[in-house]
Amino acid sequence: PPPSEPPPAVTPAPTRPASAKPENEIIKGICYAPVPDRHPRRLLNDDFMSSNTRAMWHTDGRGDLALIRSMGANTVRLYGNDPSRDHKEFLDEAHRYNMSVIVGFSDYPYTQMNGNCVATDFDCYAQVKEQFGANLRNGFLVGGPDGGVAYHPAIRSIALMNEPDLKMGKLSDPSAFSKALISAFDAVLDAERDAGVEIAAVGRLPNFTATLSFAVCRSCARFSTNPALGQMWELRVAMKYPQSWGYTPRNDLWTAYRTRFVNSFNTANPASDIRHMFLNSYDQHFEGTPVFIGEYHSPEKQVVLSEDLPAVLDIARDSSTLLQGIAFFEFQVRYDKGGPETMFGMFGLGDGILGDVLIGSSRFNVRCLVPMLPRVQRLQAATGCAMHPNTEYVFPAKWQKTLRGVDNPSDCCGRCSGTTRCRVWTWGPSGTGELTCTLRGSLPARPLDQRVNTATVSGASMPAKEIERMTPHLVAQAFGGAILDYGKLCLNSSAL
């Protein structure tokens, strides 16, 4: 058995913060896995940061990264990536908006490829070194001083695996995921050294992490009743005594852990649970190792998002804690997963087609985005755009504007809802056959103000109270971002 590792004796954290961390040090992230399909199905490739998916995240496409930044986020968290694809364009675009990136590994080397880690008794060194070496060659590195190489400045952290405690040996065998992670950590350190990073990085190196679940590990030696803490403790001891897990490292893992590693976990628990279930004990026993929440969102009925998000960020601001911040889960509804997983996304996919992307060997439409209400409001059958088919508004208004080239009524409604002065709208072909969207600043007052026209659709803007309840609005409010211009999105009530 590994040597006993007693917790260090430290003074408990004060109940009130003595000071606040600088605001720019708080992680205000958004999880980004914009699967472009509206049907439940398995996607064989989970790389959304390659040039193949540029039409979703680049400004010359749907502009997801610009949208995320406008909401006040300073970090975007990704999951898998295809090491054969180049990722420099994505990192450049994030850096252009002064955003950091938490890069993720796919499960491919761990559980999916032939000869994966499970097949090699959870020794992941060879599989991970090969994959990460390809990542370094395909965009993770840029030219450094003196002709050397350094990490791309947008990369903040690199997640070795998402929820390894649920995938590698599971919670009943913590030695399995611990060995997998220490061998993977060893591998990435060697891969970056082989690429010349150690010499040219001049002290600026991203941290590594392994994002654990918020499950309780009853088989762990310590903290067997605290979510996530038991797994983190097992990993900490494995980093210090790797031979006890049957692994002989090539690097000084304990030193690397203390200087290059941060802990992270996913949770659907609200802010009111974070201190007493996790952070109070973490601050006492993991001194010197920061932690962040890799997926944060509690969709339960009793949790008010407009109160919960500011509360958890206030915890992260407290300089007496090691919590660095959160990544909000998540940017887009995961239709591919189906079931309860569809209740988390801030945006759904509308009807408007903006382009297409190639993911793996399959081509998908890039659809416009629909702002989503939180789960509670969605379950209450919240209204979106009230659309009236076969109706045309024909009355003159003091303020009126006609937009050309608007492809569908959902987009027209979105333009109206995103325009302060607009009260009603009409979409349809003009006399020349061009599709137009006419916005009016007042409501129809007489029966003669509207007429039947089978080629048109009319409706009213979304009420301001509905816009203010939208999840993107609430996240932007908590992150200190701008009020979103929903007129640039498409509002489709069927997606709410």
Side-chain angles (χ1 to χ4, degrees):
S4 175
E5 186 71 9
V10 295
T11 303
T15 56
R16 298 189 62 175
S19 60
K21 299 167 189 165
E23 193 66 19
N24 63 357
E25 293 182 6
I26 306 302
I27 297 175
K28 301 175 185 177
I30 291 176
C31 299
Y32 186 70
V35 175
D37 198 347
R38 293 196 292 188
H39 303 284
R41 68 177 70 178
R42 183 186 176 197
L43 200 67
L44 297 179
N45 189 300
D46 58 353
D47 188 342
F48 298 106
M49 62 178 296
S50 75
S51 55
N52 282 15
T53 56
R54 177 187 174 108
M56 292 193 289
W57 47 259
H58 199 274
T59 308
D60 59 20
R62 193 169 65 191
D64 291 355
L65 287 178
L67 177 61
I68 289 170
R69 183 64 179 126
S70 74
M71 296 172 65
N74 57 22
T75 304
V76 57
R77 184 205 169 183
L78 293 105
Y79 294 85
N81 70 76
D82 184 342
S84 69
R85 304 288 184 184
D86 189 81
H87 302 104
K88 185 175 183 300
E89 281 189 325
F90 181 94
L91 295 170
D92 286 346
E93 182 79 349
H95 189 56
R96 184 160 77 93
Y97 288 103
N98 196 29
M99 280 201 301
S100 297
V101 179
I102 299 173
V103 179
F105 270 79
S106 72
D107 290 341
Y108 183 74
Y110 295 102
T111 62
Q112 297 170 351
M113 66 178 283
N114 291 330
N116 58 51
C117 295
V118 178
T120 55
D121 193 26
F122 302 104
D123 184 339
C124 303
Y125 179 88
Q127 301 91 330
V128 170
K129 184 180 180 184
E130 180 180 359
Q131 172 151 330
F132 194 61
N135 283 145
L136 295 175
R137 294 189 295 271
N138 287 321
F140 283 21
L141 298 182
V142 296
D146 303 321
V149 292
Y151 274 99
H152 195 290
I155 298 178
R156 177 191 179 105
S157 300
I158 298 162
L160 297 174
M161 195 176 186
N162 186 55
E163 298 187 342
D165 49 327
L166 303 183
K167 300 171 182 175
M168 307 296 288
K170 302 190 177 180
L171 292 169
S172 59
D173 184 10
S175 65
F177 66 75
S178 297
K179 181 179 178 181
L181 291 174
I182 60 175
S183 59
F185 191 33
D186 200 25
V188 295
L189 295 175
D190 269 359
E192 65 180 18
R193 182 179 297 110
D194 289 351
V197 175
E198 185 180 50
I199 298 173
V202 196
R204 192 209 172 278
L205 295 169
N207 289 319
F208 290 93
T209 190
T211 307
L212 298 161
S213 75
F214 207 52
V216 172
C217 178
R218 302 199 182 279
S219 298
C220 290
R222 291 185 56 82
F223 304 110
S224 59
T225 59
N226 300 88
L229 283 170
Q231 299 93 299
M232 291 179 183
W233 188 263
E234 292 286 331
L235 180 58
R236 180 183 186 275
V237 177
M239 290 286 188
K240 192 170 186 179
Y241 305 105
Q243 289 85 357
S244 298
W245 271 258
Y247 182 75
T248 302
R250 284 82 166 169
N251 297 277
D252 182 351
L253 296 185
W254 181 236
T255 296
Y257 174 81
R258 288 181 293 167
T259 57
R260 297 282 307 278
F261 200 87
V262 298
N263 279 313
S264 57
F265 64 96
N266 300 331
T267 184
N269 287 63
S272 57
D273 287 345
I274 298 303
R275 283 192 185 274
H276 75 90
M277 292 182 70
F278 175 84
L279 194 57
N280 289 342
S281 293
Y282 186 91
D283 287 339
Q284 293 180 38
H285 300 303
F286 289 83
E287 185 178 8
T289 305
V291 63
F292 67 90
I293 303 178
E295 291 178 2
Y296 183 84
H297 186 182
S298 181
E300 294 302 318
K301 291 183 179 181
Q302 67 270 23
V303 177
V304 180
L305 194 59
S306 60
E307 299 173 359
D308 188 64
L309 276 179
V312 76
L313 289 173
D314 280 345
I315 295 173
R317 292 184 180 102
D318 183 347
S319 62
S320 69
T321 79
L322 291 166
L323 183 65
Q324 293 182 316
I326 66 164
F328 183 81
F329 188 73
E330 61 186 321
F331 180 78
Q332 185 201 292
V333 173
R334 291 295 300 271
Y335 301 95
D336 60 308
K337 291 184 175 181
E341 291 283 348
T342 62
M343 302 307 289
F344 288 95
M346 288 190 290
F347 295 101
L349 296 177
D351 295 328
I353 306 299
L354 307 178
D356 59 66
V357 293
L358 181 67
I359 299 178
S361 59
S362 301
R363 193 164 290 278
F364 297 87
N365 289 325
V366 176
R367 296 181 177 273
C368 57
L369 297 173
V370 182
M372 305 297 286
L373 287 161
R375 178 176 186 265
V376 178
Q377 284 79 15
R378 277 189 246 174
L379 293 177
Q380 293 170 349
T383 58
C385 287
M387 296 189 186
H388 305 290
N390 308 323
T391 301
E392 180 183 10
Y393 293 137
V394 292
F395 65 94
K398 290 183 179 180
W399 180 86
Q400 184 170 316
K401 184 176 183 180
T402 297
L403 307 174
R404 302 184 183 280
V406 179
D407 293 334
N408 57 69
S410 293
D411 288 351
C412 186
C413 177
R415 300 294 182 90
C416 183
S417 294
T419 303
T420 304
R421 300 181 67 180
C422 183
R423 301 294 300 279
V424 296
W425 53 272
T426 294
W427 173 88
S430 65
T432 62
E434 182 181 18
L435 295 175
T436 62
C437 174
T438 300
L439 312 180
R440 288 180 170 85
S442 56
L443 298 172
R446 305 172 302 161
L448 293 178
D449 288 347
Q450 62 187 57
R451 67 186 180 192
V452 176
N453 184 339
T454 58
T456 63
V457 179
S458 295
S461 68
M462 179 177 290
K465 65 179 182 180
E466 290 296 319
I467 292 176
E468 292 172 0
R469 293 165 60 202
M470 289 289 183
T471 302
H473 181 93
L474 300 177
V475 174
Q477 197 172 48
F479 283 0
I483 301 299
L484 298 187
D485 182 359
Y486 289 141
K488 294 181 180 179
L489 308 176
C490 61
L491 293 176
N492 181 348
S493 58
S494 65
L496 295 175

